């Protein structure tokens, strides 16, 4: 009978120094790349927000400046979205009552041409 | 009479082997689950049908130019797109045009989860070495843990083209089976209290930030791992086309026409590459075992790292460790699994938005991992 060890002949001694190096360096570089992205995208927005705050403060709006980058709670966003949706739907309550039927143009193709039909019924007309 | 005999000898009936019949059965099973259970149907239907096409028996190398491995056959020409690594970057272009990085930009610390969940790639690589695979083969098998089909195909096309079929089928099959593979590991590694953690809603992200992301991310990742450029270059190009709002037509083409055409050809050729005579080997079976292990380790890596991060985060900034499982990429399937698990613990806790961040970070992470392995081993 075939055993699991025969099906999966694991030989840990086959893992050499170079394999471990690749695994460790590889994983570290993946981490490093995403860590750098994390750093950049944590710092950059703060930098831009700071600039905006300074600009608004110069224009004399200290209170306005404090509002920069303030979080809008999800509930507020949802309420605004519902309000806009309801408002837009109400606009469609009264239709213009003008119905247009668009003519669909049928482009020519030899694949749908009557003259290439296998059975040309025109020939059977009496 | 001789003609009839010759005709019969060339027919599928005369050349059928139990292997062909088994593969046809597998193909039909794949199609069944893709349609009946909607398991990744866009990929598994073409792959399943490709398995049928590739396993209709015929006389190989008789000058008929039929098989995918026969020079000059139509399937061989289509398969070139896989072998030369052309299709995966095109798919990444489409993915980029479809992906919204907003949640990642609004909460950049979640990028680390996308990195942590790549653990499966490197541990599986070591596992494959211990099972007797060569260095390039082991790297190609390990990348299955990135849970990203195009990346797995891209790397194996460069390092181990003879294993593409098995690797791609394993990657896509396990991606379809994420709702079965991930939840037990997620529940095992988290407490009910942790699964109930409600995260702060993501902040709104400006248009400028969205445009800045693909450019900066490409520069950073490209300089660190140039090997990932074909994938990440196209991913971020697709995203810039979307976010710039001035190339809507190009973005639409990338995310609809191009990705659809490439997916069909890629799926069919990958399926057809599983010809019984080359696919039913001991190596293929081991790849399937290692692939499942890779998915499990990656899931565990993401969840455990989220728990470690929570040690250093303040009470209001705590993250729900379930979203770590979404770091395995497989966008958006693993994020959906996280959402479902989150709802099971607390029906009011919607985690999908948060889970999308490690999900797309995982996409970047697995492409970087592929780039590193390629530059190291080629």
């Amino acid at each position: 009978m075939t055993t699991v060890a025969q099906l999966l002949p694991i030989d840990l001694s086959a893992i050499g120094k170079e394999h471990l190096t690749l695994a460790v360096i590889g994983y570290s570089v993946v981490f490093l790349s995403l860590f750098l992205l994390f750093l950049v995208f944590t710092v950059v927005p703060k930098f831009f927000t700071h600039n905006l705050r300074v600009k608004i403060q110069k224009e004399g709006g200290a209170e306005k400046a404090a509002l920069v980058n303030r979080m809008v709670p999800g509930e507020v966003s949802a309420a605004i979205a519902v309000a806009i949706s309801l408002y837009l739907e109400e606009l469609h309550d009264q239709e213009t009552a003008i119905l247009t039927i668009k003519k669909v143009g049928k482009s020519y193709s030899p694949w749908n041409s009557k003259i290439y039909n296998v059975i040309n019924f025109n020939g059977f007309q009496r | 009479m001789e003609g009839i005999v010759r005709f019969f000898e060339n027919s599928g009936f005369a050349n059928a082997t139990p292997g062909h019949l088994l593969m046809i059965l597998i193909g039909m099973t794949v199609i069944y689950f893709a349609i009946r259970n909607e398991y990744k149907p866009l990929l598994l239907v073409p792959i399943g049908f490709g398995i049928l096409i590739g396993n209709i028996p015929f006389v190989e190398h008789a000058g008929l130019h039929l098989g995918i491995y026969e020079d000059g056959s139509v399937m061989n020409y289509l398969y070139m797109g896989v072998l030369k690594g052309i299709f995966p970057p095109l798919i990444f272009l489409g993915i980029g045009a479809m992906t919204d990085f907003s949640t990642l930009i609004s909460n950049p610390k979640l990028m680390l989860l996308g990195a942590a969940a790549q653990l499966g790639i490197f541990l599986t690589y070591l596992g494959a070495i211990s099972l007797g695979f060569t260095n390039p083969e082991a790297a190609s098998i390990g990348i299955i843990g990135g849970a990203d089909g195009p990346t797995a195909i891209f790397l194996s096309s460069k390092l181990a083209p003879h294993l593409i079929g098995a690797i791609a089928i394993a990657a896509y099959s396990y991606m379809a089976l994420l709702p079965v593979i991930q939840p037990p590991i997620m529940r095992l590694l988290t407490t009910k209290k942790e699964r109930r953690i409600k995260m702060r809603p993501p902040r709104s992200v400006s248009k400028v930030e969205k445009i800045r992301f693909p450019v900066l991310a490409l520069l950073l990742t490209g300089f660190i791992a140039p090997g990932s450029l074909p994938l990440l270059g196209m991913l971020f190009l697709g995203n810039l086309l979307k976010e710039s709002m001035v190339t809507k037509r190009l973005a639409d083409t990338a995310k609809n026409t191009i990705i659809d055409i490439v997916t069909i050809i890629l799926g069919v050729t990958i399926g057809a590459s599983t010809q019984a005579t080359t696919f039913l080997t001991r190596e293929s079976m081991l790849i399937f075992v290692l692939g499942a292990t890779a998915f499990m380790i990656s899931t565990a890596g993401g969840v455990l790292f989220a728990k470690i991060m929570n040690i250093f985060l303040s009470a209001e900034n705590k993250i729900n460790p379930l979203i770590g499982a979404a770091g395995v990429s497989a966008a958006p399937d693993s994020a959906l699994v996280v959402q479902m698990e989150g709802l099971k613990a607390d029906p009011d806790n919607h985690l999908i938005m948060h889970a999308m961040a490690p999900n797309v970070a995982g996409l970047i992470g697995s492409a970087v991992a592929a780039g590193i392995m390629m530059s190291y081993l080629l």
Side-chain angles (χ1 to χ4, degrees), chain A residues 53-101:
Chain A
R53 204 175 282 149
V54 171
K55 197 178 161 189
I56 295 172
Q57 258 174 354
K58 271 184 189 167
E59 287 167 6
E63 281 178 21
K64 260 189 189 176
L67 288 173
V68 173
N69 208 27
R70 203 168 128 179
M71 289 276 294
V72 179
E75 292 84 353
V76 176
S77 307
I80 293 169
V82 171
I84 292 171
S85 166
L86 285 174
Y87 176 71
L88 289 174
E89 273 174 28
E90 273 178 10
L91 278 183
H92 285 276
D93 271 358
Q94 285 183 334
E95 295 294 338
T96 54
I98 301 169
L99 296 174
T100 12
I101 299 168

Side-chain angles (χ1 to χ4, degrees), chain B residues 110 113 116 185-195 197 299-313 318-325:
Chain B
L110 299 182
L113 294 176
I185 300 164
M186 291 155 78
R187 268 176 255 149
L188 186 74
L189 297 175
T190 53
T191 62
K192 197 155 191 187
K193 195 183 164 196
E194 284 173 326
R195 293 198 290 273
I197 292 175
T299 304
V303 174
L304 289 174
F305 193 78
K307 285 172 73 125
I308 294 169
M309 279 172 76
N310 271 345
I311 299 169
F312 304 99
L313 292 171
K318 287 248 187 290
I319 52 177
N320 190 314
L322 288 179
I323 67 163

Side-chain angles (χ1 to χ4, degrees), chain A residues 7-12 14-15 18-23 26-27 29-38 40-42 44-45 48 69 71 74, chain B residues 108-109 111-112 114-116 118-119 122 125-126 129-131 135 200-201 203 209 212-213 216-217 220 224 282 286 305 361 365 368-369 372 376:
Chain A
L7 283 171
L8 295 171
I10 297 169
D11 177 16
L12 291 177
I15 302 171
E18 52 162 336
H19 305 121
L20 284 172
T21 311
L22 171 58
Y27 196 42
V29 174
V30 171
F31 242 104
L32 177 74
S33 317
L34 286 159
F35 183 74
L36 283 176
L37 271 178
F38 154 68
V40 169
F41 284 93
T42 307
V44 170
F48 280 96
N69 208 27
M71 289 276 294
Chain B
K109 65 175 174 286
M111 285 184 199
L112 300 177
Q118 307 311 316
L119 183 67
F122 298 98
Y125 159 73
L126 294 176
I129 292 284
S130 72
L131 280 169
N135 224 350
R200 280 176 66 184
R203 70 172 173 84
E209 280 179 293
R212 209 187 291 145
F213 182 80
L216 286 178
L220 261 172
I224 294 172
R282 180 181 158 272
L286 287 178
F305 193 78
V368 171
I372 297 158
Y376 200 92

